[in-house]
Each structure stands twice: as C-alpha cells, then as structure tokens.
Amino acid sequence: DGCIKAVGQADVIRSQFSEATFERIIDCSGKCVLPGLVDAHTHPVWAGDRVHEFAMKLAGVSYMEIHAAGGGIHFTVQRTREAPEDELLAALRQRLGRMLRAGSTLVECKSGYGLDLETELKMLRAIERARKSTDIGVSSTFCGAHAVPRGKTATEAADDIINNHLPKLKELNLSGEIHVNNIDVFCEKGVFDLESTRRILQAGKDIGLQINFHGDELHPMKSAELGAELGARAISHLEEVSDEGIVAMARAKCAAVLLPTTAYMLRLKQPRARKMLEEGVIVALGSDFNPNAYCFSMPMVMHLACVNMKMSMNEALAAATINAAYALGKSDTHGSLEVGKQGDLLIINSSRWEHLIYQFGGHEGLINYVIVKGKVVYENERCETMSSY
C-alpha cells in the first residue's frame, strides 16, 4: 500500500520478515536513508521567465520598483494568461521532475499568475493534472490574491475573489474536478492590506481551505498576528515579523515557512529563525521557486538556512521534512520514517546525512535513490561509480 511497515535494527527486521519476498532489495551499506524532503512553498506554474530582471536587481533596483514599472508578477501574469494549459503543464512537470531529483517528494504548488478567474483555474487544472500524472506529491494552493490586477483596487480585487473565484473553486472541489488544499494572499504594503487579507482568508477557510499565506515580507504588516487569530496553518516569509507576532504564532501552533533563497536573492534581511525557534514556533522551509527565486533544490535551501539564518543542521533537516509536512497539514502521513507513514525516502551516497546540507549544490552526485510510496522513482547511476563521500 506504499506505507512503511517496519523501522528498526536490521537483524530484528530480517527475522520479522524472514518469510517475505521482495521485488527489489537495495544494499544501503555505507549509505544513509532519510525521509523525502518537503518543499513547503513554491510557485511552479507560469510562462515567461524573468532572467532580464535579475540584471536589474543586481544593479540595485528593488523588487517593488520593478513591480511598479510593470515587471515582476505583472510580467509573468501577462505571459501566463497567453499560454495554453498544455504548455503550462509541460513546464510544470519538468520543474517538478527537477525538484524530485533534488530530493523533494512532496511540494506545495501555488497558482497566482492569473489574477483573473479563467487563468487561475487554468493554473489549478495544470496542478491537478500534474498531481495525477507525476510521482511527486502535490499540495495545491489557490493564490489568486498574489497581486492586485491592473485597473482594480485591493478592495475590488478582494470582492472579486470572494464573490466569484471562491464559489467556483468550492463547486469544482465538490465535483472532484480539482482538489485545492490551501488559500494564500500576498499581504503587503501596496498589494493586499490587512483588512482585504482577512476577508479573503476567512472566506477561503469558510469553504474548507487551510490558511497558508505570504506575510510580513517587505514591511511589518502584523500578518503573523492576523494569521494566529484566524487559525492559519502556516505563514511564509516573515522577514519583518514583530516580536508579538512570533509569540502569537507559537501559541497558535502556526508554522513559519522561511524562504532563505528569497532573502538572499533580494538582499533582504534574513528571517529571524533563531528567535522563532527560541519562542517555540514550528519552523519550516521552502524554496520559493518562482521566476524571481529560481531554485529547485531543498538541500541548497537547507544550506542557506544554516549559514544565513543560523539554524543547526538538525533544525534545517526537521524544517525541510516533518515541519514542512506540518505546514501543509500532512505531518500524519509525510515527513518522517515511521511505521504507517507513506514510504517516501532518499538514499544518499554517504554514511553521514549531513553531507546533504554540507555540500552546497552537490546533491546531483549525492542523492542515489528517490523513493515515493515504496517505489524507486529516481535512480542516480553516477553514484554507484563514485566512492562514498
């Protein structure tokens, strides 16, 4: 059934299963077995990359200056609206494949580059088709409030989402046409203010979606306090979170999804991971893969979390497995090697698991096998010819 039957000492398991036959036995001598990694925040469905904007950022132009000039999210929205669904699906499947080869076995996938009902549904259908046709696990997020569409105010955009988008999503969820798990809003100065954010998130919660939103990234917005009050499952970014917000999230058991890639690429101050951990917040990690932060690799995210956010390697591994699964409401089935949980695991070509974090960008030669639901879905034959690291 794709679930783990036993975990323990080799001799105990050998005797327990002495009568069993197996399709395949993998010799892991000198290697290390880890839970499949969980990427708790990605934007993988879009057309039109923004490689040209990277040069602008390097020259000192800020994220919001690019956004105000019609770049950023608006540039991608235009390209995504023009792209056929099959083209979006093909790109999405390729990106999910790269995430899988970097060790991710469960990924949160957001819409949000449509900003109109038709394109948002096109993106969500692509996510649903990928979920059914790829090996990687998918948690689907409706992020229609990713930016305010041109010609609308935040209040008008919120009204449109509440009155038109969410009722349609509820209908499609009930019919089984698509399965959406989470509701997201970009709560930010110049995007969706606190009141519009509250209205959209509450309306999403009312139709059964988990609250999992962008907050306190570029300006302190009191997003963390709002999320704790609404019973949010998770809040992402949090570079500008207040001390009060951190305490509120810890009390509410609301996960903090930290994105060290974003702070690194935009040269923002890093999220205060140490303060959050000390206060008892459940800290998770995500790649924030999108045209602005083009990173598929959770091992690289863990490395950045350790170096730039001062997390220990143990904390980073927990944040990229069990805590990231918690942020998606999946910690009962994913994120650790326990009897009864889904058989998602990595085998790395080293007797020390720390190599997965220590080697910056070295996962291509280190991840030997990726296994999902007990089946080998990726085998890296190069590892077999290389000595253990």
Side-chain angles (χ1 to χ4, degrees), residues 110-126:
K110 301 179 190 292
S111 71
Y113 292 115
L115 310 185
D116 59 29
L117 180 56
E118 181 189 351
T119 315
E120 289 296 314
L121 290 178
K122 178 171 69 173
M123 295 178 76
L124 291 169
R125 280 195 302 269

mmCIF file with all atom_site columns, all heavy atoms in Angstrom, residues 110-126:
data_model
loop_
_atom_site.group_PDB
_atom_site.id
_atom_site.type_symbol
_atom_site.label_atom_id
_atom_site.label_alt_id
_atom_site.label_comp_id
_atom_site.label_asym_id
_atom_site.label_entity_id
_atom_site.label_seq_id
_atom_site.pdbx_PDB_ins_code
_atom_site.Cartn_x
_atom_site.Cartn_y
_atom_site.Cartn_z
_atom_site.occupancy
_atom_site.B_iso_or_equiv
_atom_site.pdbx_formal_charge
_atom_site.auth_seq_id
_atom_site.auth_comp_id
_atom_site.auth_asym_id
_atom_site.auth_atom_id
_atom_site.pdbx_PDB_model_num
ATOM 1   N N   . LYS A 1 110 ? 1.519   26.651 -5.900  1.00 0.00 ? 110 LYS A N   1
ATOM 2   C CA  . LYS A 1 110 ? 0.566   27.758 -5.883  1.00 0.00 ? 110 LYS A CA  1
ATOM 3   C C   . LYS A 1 110 ? 0.147   28.161 -7.292  1.00 0.00 ? 110 LYS A C   1
ATOM 4   O O   . LYS A 1 110 ? 0.953   28.116 -8.218  1.00 0.00 ? 110 LYS A O   1
ATOM 5   C CB  . LYS A 1 110 ? 1.192   28.990 -5.212  1.00 0.00 ? 110 LYS A CB  1
ATOM 6   C CG  . LYS A 1 110 ? 1.653   28.774 -3.774  1.00 0.00 ? 110 LYS A CG  1
ATOM 7   C CD  . LYS A 1 110 ? 2.275   30.049 -3.214  1.00 0.00 ? 110 LYS A CD  1
ATOM 8   C CE  . LYS A 1 110 ? 2.963   29.810 -1.874  1.00 0.00 ? 110 LYS A CE  1
ATOM 9   N NZ  . LYS A 1 110 ? 2.020   29.495 -0.797  1.00 0.00 ? 110 LYS A NZ  1
ATOM 10  N N   . SER A 1 111 ? -1.099  28.621 -7.408  1.00 0.00 ? 111 SER A N   1
ATOM 11  C CA  . SER A 1 111 ? -1.493  29.409 -8.582  1.00 0.00 ? 111 SER A CA  1
ATOM 12  C C   . SER A 1 111 ? -1.058  30.847 -8.285  1.00 0.00 ? 111 SER A C   1
ATOM 13  O O   . SER A 1 111 ? -0.234  31.074 -7.416  1.00 0.00 ? 111 SER A O   1
ATOM 14  C CB  . SER A 1 111 ? -2.997  29.293 -8.817  1.00 0.00 ? 111 SER A CB  1
ATOM 15  O OG  . SER A 1 111 ? -3.714  30.000 -7.815  1.00 0.00 ? 111 SER A OG  1
ATOM 16  N N   . GLY A 1 112 ? -1.605  31.837 -9.007  1.00 0.00 ? 112 GLY A N   1
ATOM 17  C CA  . GLY A 1 112 ? -1.298  33.213 -8.634  1.00 0.00 ? 112 GLY A CA  1
ATOM 18  C C   . GLY A 1 112 ? -0.704  34.081 -9.725  1.00 0.00 ? 112 GLY A C   1
ATOM 19  O O   . GLY A 1 112 ? -0.446  35.265 -9.504  1.00 0.00 ? 112 GLY A O   1
ATOM 20  N N   . TYR A 1 113 ? -0.482  33.501 -10.921 1.00 0.00 ? 113 TYR A N   1
ATOM 21  C CA  . TYR A 1 113 ? -0.016  34.328 -12.036 1.00 0.00 ? 113 TYR A CA  1
ATOM 22  C C   . TYR A 1 113 ? -1.120  34.489 -13.081 1.00 0.00 ? 113 TYR A C   1
ATOM 23  O O   . TYR A 1 113 ? -0.847  34.673 -14.260 1.00 0.00 ? 113 TYR A O   1
ATOM 24  C CB  . TYR A 1 113 ? 1.251   33.732 -12.659 1.00 0.00 ? 113 TYR A CB  1
ATOM 25  C CG  . TYR A 1 113 ? 2.449   33.812 -11.743 1.00 0.00 ? 113 TYR A CG  1
ATOM 26  C CD1 . TYR A 1 113 ? 3.056   32.665 -11.245 1.00 0.00 ? 113 TYR A CD1 1
ATOM 27  C CD2 . TYR A 1 113 ? 2.970   35.049 -11.357 1.00 0.00 ? 113 TYR A CD2 1
ATOM 28  C CE1 . TYR A 1 113 ? 4.149   32.736 -10.396 1.00 0.00 ? 113 TYR A CE1 1
ATOM 29  C CE2 . TYR A 1 113 ? 4.063   35.119 -10.499 1.00 0.00 ? 113 TYR A CE2 1
ATOM 30  C CZ  . TYR A 1 113 ? 4.647   33.969 -10.027 1.00 0.00 ? 113 TYR A CZ  1
ATOM 31  O OH  . TYR A 1 113 ? 5.730   34.052 -9.188  1.00 0.00 ? 113 TYR A OH  1
ATOM 32  N N   . GLY A 1 114 ? -2.363  34.431 -12.607 1.00 0.00 ? 114 GLY A N   1
ATOM 33  C CA  . GLY A 1 114 ? -3.508  34.663 -13.491 1.00 0.00 ? 114 GLY A CA  1
ATOM 34  C C   . GLY A 1 114 ? -4.202  35.955 -13.124 1.00 0.00 ? 114 GLY A C   1
ATOM 35  O O   . GLY A 1 114 ? -4.400  36.835 -13.961 1.00 0.00 ? 114 GLY A O   1
ATOM 36  N N   . LEU A 1 115 ? -4.558  36.056 -11.830 1.00 0.00 ? 115 LEU A N   1
ATOM 37  C CA  . LEU A 1 115 ? -5.255  37.225 -11.262 1.00 0.00 ? 115 LEU A CA  1
ATOM 38  C C   . LEU A 1 115 ? -6.636  37.445 -11.873 1.00 0.00 ? 115 LEU A C   1
ATOM 39  O O   . LEU A 1 115 ? -7.294  38.417 -11.551 1.00 0.00 ? 115 LEU A O   1
ATOM 40  C CB  . LEU A 1 115 ? -4.412  38.509 -11.372 1.00 0.00 ? 115 LEU A CB  1
ATOM 41  C CG  . LEU A 1 115 ? -2.965  38.410 -10.868 1.00 0.00 ? 115 LEU A CG  1
ATOM 42  C CD1 . LEU A 1 115 ? -2.310  39.792 -10.921 1.00 0.00 ? 115 LEU A CD1 1
ATOM 43  C CD2 . LEU A 1 115 ? -2.873  37.852 -9.452  1.00 0.00 ? 115 LEU A CD2 1
ATOM 44  N N   . ASP A 1 116 ? -7.041  36.558 -12.777 1.00 0.00 ? 116 ASP A N   1
ATOM 45  C CA  . ASP A 1 116 ? -8.443  36.540 -13.211 1.00 0.00 ? 116 ASP A CA  1
ATOM 46  C C   . ASP A 1 116 ? -8.910  35.087 -13.089 1.00 0.00 ? 116 ASP A C   1
ATOM 47  O O   . ASP A 1 116 ? -8.091  34.159 -13.041 1.00 0.00 ? 116 ASP A O   1
ATOM 48  C CB  . ASP A 1 116 ? -8.624  37.078 -14.642 1.00 0.00 ? 116 ASP A CB  1
ATOM 49  C CG  . ASP A 1 116 ? -7.854  36.312 -15.707 1.00 0.00 ? 116 ASP A CG  1
ATOM 50  O OD1 . ASP A 1 116 ? -7.620  35.087 -15.530 1.00 0.00 ? 116 ASP A OD1 1
ATOM 51  O OD2 . ASP A 1 116 ? -7.478  36.910 -16.723 1.00 0.00 ? 116 ASP A OD2 1
ATOM 52  N N   . LEU A 1 117 ? -10.210 34.901 -13.003 1.00 0.00 ? 117 LEU A N   1
ATOM 53  C CA  . LEU A 1 117 ? -10.750 33.572 -12.708 1.00 0.00 ? 117 LEU A CA  1
ATOM 54  C C   . LEU A 1 117 ? -10.323 32.544 -13.752 1.00 0.00 ? 117 LEU A C   1
ATOM 55  O O   . LEU A 1 117 ? -9.878  31.441 -13.419 1.00 0.00 ? 117 LEU A O   1
ATOM 56  C CB  . LEU A 1 117 ? -12.283 33.641 -12.599 1.00 0.00 ? 117 LEU A CB  1
ATOM 57  C CG  . LEU A 1 117 ? -12.989 32.322 -12.290 1.00 0.00 ? 117 LEU A CG  1
ATOM 58  C CD1 . LEU A 1 117 ? -12.463 31.689 -11.021 1.00 0.00 ? 117 LEU A CD1 1
ATOM 59  C CD2 . LEU A 1 117 ? -14.501 32.540 -12.191 1.00 0.00 ? 117 LEU A CD2 1
ATOM 60  N N   . GLU A 1 118 ? -10.401 32.909 -15.015 1.00 0.00 ? 118 GLU A N   1
ATOM 61  C CA  . GLU A 1 118 ? -10.105 31.962 -16.100 1.00 0.00 ? 118 GLU A CA  1
ATOM 62  C C   . GLU A 1 118 ? -8.672  31.430 -16.005 1.00 0.00 ? 118 GLU A C   1
ATOM 63  O O   . GLU A 1 118 ? -8.422  30.222 -16.096 1.00 0.00 ? 118 GLU A O   1
ATOM 64  C CB  . GLU A 1 118 ? -10.335 32.661 -17.449 1.00 0.00 ? 118 GLU A CB  1
ATOM 65  C CG  . GLU A 1 118 ? -10.091 31.778 -18.654 1.00 0.00 ? 118 GLU A CG  1
ATOM 66  C CD  . GLU A 1 118 ? -10.127 32.564 -19.969 1.00 0.00 ? 118 GLU A CD  1
ATOM 67  O OE1 . GLU A 1 118 ? -10.515 33.754 -19.966 1.00 0.00 ? 118 GLU A OE1 1
ATOM 68  O OE2 . GLU A 1 118 ? -9.762  31.972 -20.989 1.00 0.00 ? 118 GLU A OE2 1
ATOM 69  N N   . THR A 1 119 ? -7.707  32.351 -15.813 1.00 0.00 ? 119 THR A N   1
ATOM 70  C CA  . THR A 1 119 ? -6.299  31.923 -15.790 1.00 0.00 ? 119 THR A CA  1
ATOM 71  C C   . THR A 1 119 ? -5.957  31.194 -14.498 1.00 0.00 ? 119 THR A C   1
ATOM 72  O O   . THR A 1 119 ? -5.192  30.222 -14.509 1.00 0.00 ? 119 THR A O   1
ATOM 73  C CB  . THR A 1 119 ? -5.352  33.121 -15.998 1.00 0.00 ? 119 THR A CB  1
ATOM 74  O OG1 . THR A 1 119 ? -5.834  33.919 -17.070 1.00 0.00 ? 119 THR A OG1 1
ATOM 75  C CG2 . THR A 1 119 ? -3.940  32.670 -16.324 1.00 0.00 ? 119 THR A CG2 1
ATOM 76  N N   . GLU A 1 120 ? -6.514  31.645 -13.376 1.00 0.00 ? 120 GLU A N   1
ATOM 77  C CA  . GLU A 1 120 ? -6.270  30.943 -12.108 1.00 0.00 ? 120 GLU A CA  1
ATOM 78  C C   . GLU A 1 120 ? -6.766  29.500 -12.200 1.00 0.00 ? 120 GLU A C   1
ATOM 79  O O   . GLU A 1 120 ? -6.088  28.565 -11.750 1.00 0.00 ? 120 GLU A O   1
ATOM 80  C CB  . GLU A 1 120 ? -6.963  31.679 -10.945 1.00 0.00 ? 120 GLU A CB  1
ATOM 81  C CG  . GLU A 1 120 ? -6.316  32.999 -10.568 1.00 0.00 ? 120 GLU A CG  1
ATOM 82  C CD  . GLU A 1 120 ? -4.899  32.856 -10.030 1.00 0.00 ? 120 GLU A CD  1
ATOM 83  O OE1 . GLU A 1 120 ? -4.663  31.987 -9.171  1.00 0.00 ? 120 GLU A OE1 1
ATOM 84  O OE2 . GLU A 1 120 ? -4.009  33.597 -10.489 1.00 0.00 ? 120 GLU A OE2 1
ATOM 85  N N   . LEU A 1 121 ? -7.941  29.308 -12.791 1.00 0.00 ? 121 LEU A N   1
ATOM 86  C CA  . LEU A 1 121 ? -8.467  27.940 -12.940 1.00 0.00 ? 121 LEU A CA  1
ATOM 87  C C   . LEU A 1 121 ? -7.602  27.126 -13.904 1.00 0.00 ? 121 LEU A C   1
ATOM 88  O O   . LEU A 1 121 ? -7.389  25.931 -13.699 1.00 0.00 ? 121 LEU A O   1
ATOM 89  C CB  . LEU A 1 121 ? -9.918  27.972 -13.434 1.00 0.00 ? 121 LEU A CB  1
ATOM 90  C CG  . LEU A 1 121 ? -10.952 28.481 -12.423 1.00 0.00 ? 121 LEU A CG  1
ATOM 91  C CD1 . LEU A 1 121 ? -12.332 28.503 -13.045 1.00 0.00 ? 121 LEU A CD1 1
ATOM 92  C CD2 . LEU A 1 121 ? -10.962 27.637 -11.144 1.00 0.00 ? 121 LEU A CD2 1
ATOM 93  N N   . LYS A 1 122 ? -7.089  27.774 -14.941 1.00 0.00 ? 122 LYS A N   1
ATOM 94  C CA  . LYS A 1 122 ? -6.182  27.094 -15.888 1.00 0.00 ? 122 LYS A CA  1
ATOM 95  C C   . LYS A 1 122 ? -4.938  26.589 -15.135 1.00 0.00 ? 122 LYS A C   1
ATOM 96  O O   . LYS A 1 122 ? -4.504  25.444 -15.345 1.00 0.00 ? 122 LYS A O   1
ATOM 97  C CB  . LYS A 1 122 ? -5.796  28.074 -17.008 1.00 0.00 ? 122 LYS A CB  1
ATOM 98  C CG  . LYS A 1 122 ? -4.822  27.517 -18.036 1.00 0.00 ? 122 LYS A CG  1
ATOM 99  C CD  . LYS A 1 122 ? -4.655  28.456 -19.220 1.00 0.00 ? 122 LYS A CD  1
ATOM 100 C CE  . LYS A 1 122 ? -3.928  29.748 -18.852 1.00 0.00 ? 122 LYS A CE  1
ATOM 101 N NZ  . LYS A 1 122 ? -3.629  30.577 -20.044 1.00 0.00 ? 122 LYS A NZ  1
ATOM 102 N N   . MET A 1 123 ? -4.407  27.418 -14.251 1.00 0.00 ? 123 MET A N   1
ATOM 103 C CA  . MET A 1 123 ? -3.232  27.028 -13.467 1.00 0.00 ? 123 MET A CA  1
ATOM 104 C C   . MET A 1 123 ? -3.568  25.886 -12.504 1.00 0.00 ? 123 MET A C   1
ATOM 105 O O   . MET A 1 123 ? -2.797  24.927 -12.370 1.00 0.00 ? 123 MET A O   1
ATOM 106 C CB  . MET A 1 123 ? -2.707  28.227 -12.674 1.00 0.00 ? 123 MET A CB  1
ATOM 107 C CG  . MET A 1 123 ? -2.178  29.360 -13.525 1.00 0.00 ? 123 MET A CG  1
ATOM 108 S SD  . MET A 1 123 ? -1.637  30.756 -12.516 1.00 0.00 ? 123 MET A SD  1
ATOM 109 C CE  . MET A 1 123 ? -0.087  30.146 -11.890 1.00 0.00 ? 123 MET A CE  1
ATOM 110 N N   . LEU A 1 124 ? -4.711  25.999 -11.838 1.00 0.00 ? 124 LEU A N   1
ATOM 111 C CA  . LEU A 1 124 ? -5.102  24.962 -10.880 1.00 0.00 ? 124 LEU A CA  1
ATOM 112 C C   . LEU A 1 124 ? -5.386  23.634 -11.578 1.00 0.00 ? 124 LEU A C   1
ATOM 113 O O   . LEU A 1 124 ? -5.092  22.562 -11.040 1.00 0.00 ? 124 LEU A O   1
ATOM 114 C CB  . LEU A 1 124 ? -6.319  25.417 -10.064 1.00 0.00 ? 124 LEU A CB  1
ATOM 115 C CG  . LEU A 1 124 ? -6.051  26.557 -9.076  1.00 0.00 ? 124 LEU A CG  1
ATOM 116 C CD1 . LEU A 1 124 ? -7.358  27.107 -8.529  1.00 0.00 ? 124 LEU A CD1 1
ATOM 117 C CD2 . LEU A 1 124 ? -5.148  26.107 -7.925  1.00 0.00 ? 124 LEU A CD2 1
ATOM 118 N N   . ARG A 1 125 ? -5.928  23.689 -12.802 1.00 0.00 ? 125 ARG A N   1
ATOM 119 C CA  . ARG A 1 125 ? -6.135  22.456 -13.573 1.00 0.00 ? 125 ARG A CA  1
ATOM 120 C C   . ARG A 1 125 ? -4.791  21.830 -13.956 1.00 0.00 ? 125 ARG A C   1
ATOM 121 O O   . ARG A 1 125 ? -4.636  20.604 -13.922 1.00 0.00 ? 125 ARG A O   1
ATOM 122 C CB  . ARG A 1 125 ? -6.965  22.732 -14.833 1.00 0.00 ? 125 ARG A CB  1
ATOM 123 C CG  . ARG A 1 125 ? -8.462  22.835 -14.581 1.00 0.00 ? 125 ARG A CG  1
ATOM 124 C CD  . ARG A 1 125 ? -9.260  22.733 -15.886 1.00 0.00 ? 125 ARG A CD  1
ATOM 125 N NE  . ARG A 1 125 ? -8.869  23.764 -16.850 1.00 0.00 ? 125 ARG A NE  1
ATOM 126 C CZ  . ARG A 1 125 ? -9.448  24.961 -16.951 1.00 0.00 ? 125 ARG A CZ  1
ATOM 127 N NH1 . ARG A 1 125 ? -10.452 25.288 -16.146 1.00 0.00 ? 125 ARG A NH1 1
ATOM 128 N NH2 . ARG A 1 125 ? -9.033  25.829 -17.855 1.00 0.00 ? 125 ARG A NH2 1
ATOM 129 N N   . ALA A 1 126 ? -3.824  22.660 -14.314 1.00 0.00 ? 126 ALA A N   1
ATOM 130 C CA  . ALA A 1 126 ? -2.478  22.146 -14.627 1.00 0.00 ? 126 ALA A CA  1
ATOM 131 C C   . ALA A 1 126 ? -1.877  21.459 -13.401 1.00 0.00 ? 126 ALA A C   1
ATOM 132 O O   . ALA A 1 126 ? -1.277  20.376 -13.510 1.00 0.00 ? 126 ALA A O   1
ATOM 133 C CB  . ALA A 1 126 ? -1.575  23.272 -15.123 1.00 0.00 ? 126 ALA A CB  1
#
